[in-house]
Amino acid sequence: MAESISSDVIRGYNDTMILFLLLDAPSYGYEISKQIRSLTDEKYLIKETTLYSAFTRLEKNGYISSFSQEAANGKKRTYYSITPAGEEYYRTKCEEWHLTKDVIEHFIRN
Amino acid sequence: MAESISSDVIRGYNDTMILFLLLDAPSYGYEISKQIRSLTDEKYLIKETTLYSAFTRLEKNGYISSFSQEAANGKKRTYYSITPAGEEYYRTKCEEWHLTKDVIEHFIRN
DNA sequence: TATTAATACTACGACAGACATAGTACGACA
DNA sequence: TGTCGTACTATGTCTGTCGTAGTATTAATA
């Protein structure tokens, strides 16, 4: 019985998950990792290194932008917000997902 | 508009596709690639190198076994058949797929 | 008859995303 | 005093995919 998901399977959708969580409001690493955890009922736990390297990649591609802000407790955080290009990319990935799902399901029995 | 699927998305499911196609009968590289092509309505075309390296990996893991056989036209082919371990692995991947799908869909809007 | 297309692969190297491991730094709490 | 939670950064490795190239045979086509 498959009980947890190997992240290799998810490869290519970590970016999409992050962008989705930034659609409504800017956020930062630790919060996003907790959101992914709770949204998926602990079924998917993104690795810290995976998450932060995704931030770097997404920013380099112009899909998110970052700014520093002090939290209530005086700690400094790096926040990220989605850019218009990021929103566009997110929509593309959603379309791609539907296609991908259909393709893979041809090979799934039951 | 996403028109074709980047294989990066599919990463981790090529093995599953191959195993699926071996469930009913042994087959070989060229035929499998054509079957994937037609089953997916040309939407997914597996690369030759990807396919043959998958064979190597799957055989090394004991999920498939190979034998040589001459085709009707006298040409030699390497056929692969799925092993019991391969069938088991295939079933696991199917279960994992359902889980994965559910997880990802939390992050897909519309 | 010469050339091209289809078949059926193998070899080699590069790349990118995921991940392991480790370390930093600060505050809260016991 | 030490551990836990927070919020990261650095570095290097691994693996599946993919680009490129080459080999060899047969079938079809000009």
Side-chain angles (χ1 to χ4, degrees):
Chain A
M1 258 274 276
E3 278 172 342
S4 70
I5 294 180
S6 87
S7 53
D8 207 83
V9 168
I10 306 259
R11 192 187 176 107
Y13 277 93
N14 281 320
D15 289 12
T16 308
M17 292 186 195
I18 294 167
L19 292 176
F20 169 82
L21 292 169
L22 294 177
L23 280 177
D24 293 327
S27 188
Y28 58 97
Y30 197 75
E31 194 179 48
I32 283 180
S33 88
K34 279 193 300 177
Q35 284 175 333
I36 289 176
R37 187 200 194 106
S38 69
L39 242 180
T40 65
D41 249 323
E42 318 256 318
K43 288 196 195 81
Y44 183 53
L45 313 171
I46 194 167
K47 300 290 181 304
E48 277 183 280
T49 36
T50 301
L51 179 59
Y52 289 107
S53 76
F55 281 144
T56 307
R57 179 173 54 249
L58 286 166
E59 186 163 30
K60 202 163 59 187
N61 292 336
Y63 299 147
I64 60 175
S65 59
S66 65
F67 58 95
S68 247
Q69 195 171 290
E70 267 184 47
N73 56 14
K75 279 165 126 181
K76 218 177 191 176
R77 284 189 200 133
T78 306
Y79 280 84
Y80 294 94
S81 19
I82 191 166
T83 64
E87 289 176 13
E88 178 59 30
Y89 179 70
Y90 171 75
R91 281 190 294 272
T92 306
K93 291 298 275 182
C94 285
E95 282 172 30
E96 189 195 75
W97 164 250
H98 297 304
L99 219 62
T100 301
K101 200 178 58 168
D102 289 350
V103 161
I104 294 182
E105 290 197 329
H106 278 111
F107 302 89
I108 300 294
R109 196 159 277 181
N110 74 288
Chain B
M1 254 276 274
E3 278 171 341
S4 70
I5 293 181
S6 88
S7 52
D8 208 80
V9 167
I10 305 259
R11 192 189 176 104
Y13 276 93
N14 280 320
D15 289 12
T16 308
M17 292 185 195
I18 293 166
L19 291 176
F20 170 81
L21 292 170
L22 293 178
L23 280 178
D24 293 326
S27 189
Y28 59 97
Y30 197 76
E31 193 178 49
I32 283 181
S33 88
K34 281 193 300 178
Q35 284 175 333
I36 290 177
R37 186 199 194 107
S38 67
L39 242 179
T40 65
D41 248 324
E42 316 257 318
K43 289 198 196 81
Y44 183 52
L45 312 172
I46 194 168
K47 300 289 181 305
E48 277 183 280
T49 35
T50 302
L51 178 60
Y52 289 107
S53 76
F55 281 145
T56 308
R57 180 174 53 252
L58 286 166
E59 186 162 30
K60 201 163 62 187
N61 291 336
Y63 299 147
I64 59 175
S65 59
S66 66
F67 58 96
S68 246
Q69 195 174 290
E70 268 184 48
N73 55 14
K75 279 164 124 182
K76 217 177 187 175
R77 287 188 196 131
T78 306
Y79 280 84
Y80 294 93
S81 20
I82 191 165
T83 65
E87 289 177 12
E88 178 61 29
Y89 179 71
Y90 171 75
R91 281 190 293 272
T92 306
K93 291 299 274 182
C94 285
E95 283 172 27
E96 190 195 75
W97 164 250
H98 297 305
L99 219 64
T100 302
K101 199 177 60 167
D102 289 350
V103 161
I104 293 182
E105 291 197 328
H106 279 111
F107 302 89
I108 300 294
R109 197 158 277 180
N110 73 290

